[in-house]
Amino acid sequence: MIANRLLDFDDYLAIARRHFKLLCFATFSAAAIGFLVSFAFSPQYTSRSLVLVERQTIPAGYVRPIVTTSVIDRIATLQQQVLSRSRLEALAARLDLARGGKSVDKVVDGIQRNVSFVEADPSTSTSLIFRRTMDFLGFYVRFTADNPQDAREICAEITSMVLAENSKMREQVALNTTDFLARQLAEAKTNLDQKDQEFAEFKSRFLGQLPTDMENNLAILNGLNSEFDANTQALNRAEQDKSYAQSLLDQQVVAWKSSQFNQTTDTIGQRLIALRTQLITLQDRYTHDHPDVIKMRSDIAALEAKQKQMDESGATDGDTLTETGRTEPPQITQLRERIRQDDNLVARAAEKGKDLQTMIDSYRNRLTLSPKVEEEYKQLTRDNEVAHHLYDTLLANKSESEIQTDLERSQQGEQLRLLDAADLPDSPSFPVRWKFAGGGLAGGLCVGLVAVFWMEWQDRALRDERDVLAVLEMPMLASVPWVSENPQGQLNGARGRLKTLLRA
């Protein structure tokens, strides 16, 4: 390759013409070698099955799904469970895969290495159902083995294990959720009963002193104050009536006693005269020691003493009036009865006032204690409301969990359904011979291009006018064409010389 020489499209075509045989040889030789190399590998056959993820039949707005993990995460979990060593050892024993001197561990390792779960693309699926239900998800279960029959059997068994494990896992999750919610509900019920009992005891202990009773207590207290004022007014009126009646009674008694005093004095004098006359007669008849005489003298002495006392005091008492056989007039008797009624009314009003005052003091104490009780009441109310809300929430969740468990048992929840069974591969999945040949073709072409580039890099030949100008940096005067055995080629060469001479 000439230094300082820029190549154009014609130059690359010329290079390709010069080394065309080399490129073809390298390319097709490498393709043949790649095709032959594919026969050195033992064929591997891949069987696959398509599993469809069906949504639950009942809308989620009515029954919420109990399994909330994504489909991809659940498939990964199923893969780990199905591909566990214990499951695969049972599978190997059931299908008699440990044959030909293979150990069970080697068979299990091979299954774990050659099985895969791939998310399905609905656009590339051959199933019309899967392509029409774009909102559903699906995945392929693939397994590669040396024998196409073994590949199909193992793929079918693993798919069946995945479907069975999914149903078992979902039902177990539903049962575990229901059991967990049942235990939580029982604890919440116990806590709720305890909170209700504490709240009831608090209400009983502070009956009438709760914040909810404040308005009622204020209304009752206002009523009691009004009633106490009315009773006080009634008591005052009764006392005034009693005082007025007592003053009237005193006036009536004084007037009545004054009128009765003279009558009493005249009566005692008349009796003394009569008794003295009788004493004289008795003394004429009996001796001084006779009992009648003694009694008569005693009566006379008593009347004389009473007369003397009345003369000194100028008044008389009830006993004197009684002894004289006199009774109070009706006006005084009515006043005394009125005073007695007023006394009873005053006594009842005073007793009622004491009771009202006691009740007023009690309701005032309740209002005084309400701010102290309010904080504890709010705390107990909050705890009780939280306990009720938790219990109601757990009860609703338990009901939904029981419904979801019934859905799983009746297979109406989200299910995995086998859409395409494991197929029997008719051609090996590895090696793919055309891929080996294509890889050899690409590799040979690259090797040929590298060889051509190296040969052109080492080539210093002058082939046209541009090579001469690049090397000598002088214009070309004439050129000797390559003599070809083809007459047409000679004609072309002559035309080329003519053009060169004209340019010179």
Side-chain angles (χ1 to χ4, degrees), residues 69-222:
T69 56
S70 64
V71 177
I72 297 177
D73 294 339
R74 197 158 65 251
I75 291 174
T77 303
L78 291 173
Q79 182 179 359
Q80 295 295 327
Q81 293 177 349
V82 170
L83 297 182
S84 64
R85 182 166 293 274
S86 59
R87 295 285 188 87
L88 295 181
E89 288 178 354
L91 175 63
R94 186 167 59 254
L95 298 179
D96 193 19
L97 299 178
R99 56 179 179 270
K102 294 182 179 180
S103 63
V104 176
D105 293 337
K106 186 175 181 180
V107 171
V108 170
D109 293 338
I111 295 175
Q112 291 177 342
R113 185 173 57 255
N114 294 322
V115 71
S116 62
F117 292 75
V118 182
E119 185 177 0
D121 185 5
S123 61
T124 60
S125 175
T126 58
S127 174
L128 293 178
I129 298 177
F130 190 69
R131 281 192 289 178
R132 289 174 183 173
T133 55
M134 298 291 289
D135 54 336
F136 290 116
L137 299 176
F139 62 94
Y140 288 107
V141 179
R142 295 177 179 175
F143 182 75
T144 303
D146 299 337
N147 188 302
Q149 189 67 30
D150 291 344
R152 184 178 68 173
E153 291 180 357
I154 296 176
C155 182
E157 287 292 330
I158 292 177
T159 303
S160 300
M161 293 167 62
V162 168
L163 297 178
E165 186 64 28
N166 178 70
S167 299
K168 179 181 177 182
M169 182 185 69
R170 290 185 64 87
E171 184 175 353
Q172 188 63 38
V173 169
L175 290 175
N176 292 340
T177 303
T178 302
D179 294 340
F180 172 76
L181 291 176
R183 292 193 300 271
Q184 293 294 317
L185 184 63
E187 294 179 0
K189 182 65 168 59
T190 302
N191 183 52
L192 179 61
D193 294 339
Q194 182 179 359
K195 295 298 181 182
D196 287 339
Q197 183 178 0
E198 292 178 357
F199 197 50
E201 292 177 354
F202 180 82
K203 285 184 175 181
S204 178
R205 187 169 66 253
F206 296 98
L207 183 63
Q209 303 177 15
L210 301 176
T212 55
D213 299 328
M214 182 174 292
E215 295 183 1
N216 189 30
N217 290 337
L218 287 174
I220 294 175
L221 181 60
N222 292 332

Side-chain angles (χ1 to χ4, degrees), residues 30-97:
I33 292 173
F35 183 77
L36 293 176
V37 168
S38 65
F39 288 94
F41 297 95
S42 60
Q44 300 290 322
Y45 297 89
T46 300
S47 177
R48 72 176 187 176
S49 60
L50 177 60
V51 179
L52 180 67
V53 181
E54 290 184 337
R55 307 297 186 185
Q56 69 177 26
T57 57
I58 299 178
Y62 295 99
V63 180
R64 292 184 300 176
I66 200 169
V67 179
T68 57
T69 56
S70 64
V71 177
I72 297 177
D73 294 339
R74 197 158 65 251
I75 291 174
T77 303
L78 291 173
Q79 182 179 359
Q80 295 295 327
Q81 293 177 349
V82 170
L83 297 182
S84 64
R85 182 166 293 274
S86 59
R87 295 285 188 87
L88 295 181
E89 288 178 354
L91 175 63
R94 186 167 59 254
L95 298 179
D96 193 19
L97 299 178

Side-chain angles (χ1 to χ4, degrees), residues 12 33 101 202-203 214 232 242 263 340 387 408 418 454 470:
Y12 286 113
I33 292 173
F202 180 82
K203 285 184 175 181
M214 182 174 292
T232 303
K242 177 185 175 183
Q263 296 178 3
R340 185 183 65 79
E408 295 297 335
L418 181 62
W454 183 81

Side-chain angles (χ1 to χ4, degrees), residues 199-403:
F199 197 50
E201 292 177 354
F202 180 82
K203 285 184 175 181
S204 178
R205 187 169 66 253
F206 296 98
L207 183 63
Q209 303 177 15
L210 301 176
T212 55
D213 299 328
M214 182 174 292
E215 295 183 1
N216 189 30
N217 290 337
L218 287 174
I220 294 175
L221 181 60
N222 292 332
L224 290 175
N225 287 327
S226 300
E227 188 176 357
F228 182 78
D229 293 339
N231 182 74
T232 303
Q233 294 176 3
L235 178 61
N236 293 332
R237 286 195 302 269
E239 290 178 347
Q240 291 176 1
D241 293 342
K242 177 185 175 183
S243 299
Y244 178 72
Q246 186 66 44
S247 63
L248 291 178
L249 177 62
D250 292 340
Q251 294 175 5
Q252 293 288 338
V253 169
V254 170
W256 178 72
K257 287 182 178 181
S258 298
S259 64
Q260 291 295 319
F261 179 76
N262 295 327
Q263 296 178 3
T264 303
T265 303
D266 295 340
T267 302
I268 292 174
Q270 295 174 0
R271 290 187 63 188
L272 283 174
I273 293 172
L275 290 176
R276 287 172 180 168
T277 303
Q278 292 177 7
L279 178 61
I280 294 172
T281 303
L282 290 175
Q283 286 178 353
D284 293 339
R285 188 180 301 176
Y286 304 109
T287 62
H288 293 284
D289 297 332
H290 192 274
D292 293 337
V293 175
I294 295 174
K295 181 178 181 302
M296 188 62 66
R297 288 177 178 176
S298 176
D299 292 338
I300 292 171
L303 285 175
E304 290 176 349
K306 181 177 291 187
Q307 185 179 18
K308 183 179 180 181
Q309 182 179 1
M310 290 180 64
D311 292 339
E312 293 176 355
S313 62
T316 184
D317 53 9
D319 293 338
T320 305
L321 296 175
T322 302
E323 290 179 359
T324 59
R326 302 290 184 177
T327 59
E328 294 179 344
Q331 295 84 355
I332 295 177
T333 304
Q334 291 177 359
L335 288 174
R336 291 188 184 278
E337 180 64 22
R338 180 178 174 183
I339 292 173
R340 185 183 65 79
Q341 293 177 357
D342 290 339
D343 287 336
N344 294 335
L345 182 59
V346 169
R348 289 196 302 270
E351 186 66 24
K352 185 177 180 180
K354 292 181 181 179
D355 295 339
L356 289 174
Q357 187 62 46
T358 302
M359 295 177 67
I360 290 172
D361 294 339
S362 175
Y363 279 95
R364 284 178 178 173
N365 292 332
R366 291 182 182 182
L367 294 175
T368 304
L369 291 175
S370 292
K372 301 178 182 179
V373 177
E374 184 175 2
E375 187 64 29
E376 187 176 358
Y377 177 79
K378 288 182 178 179
Q379 182 65 34
L380 289 175
T381 303
R382 284 194 298 266
D383 295 343
N384 191 266
E385 290 177 354
V386 169
H388 274 280
H389 178 70
L390 178 61
Y391 178 79
D392 294 338
T393 303
L394 289 174
L395 184 61
N397 291 338
K398 181 175 179 293
S399 300
E400 291 185 2
S401 178
E402 291 175 349
I403 295 174

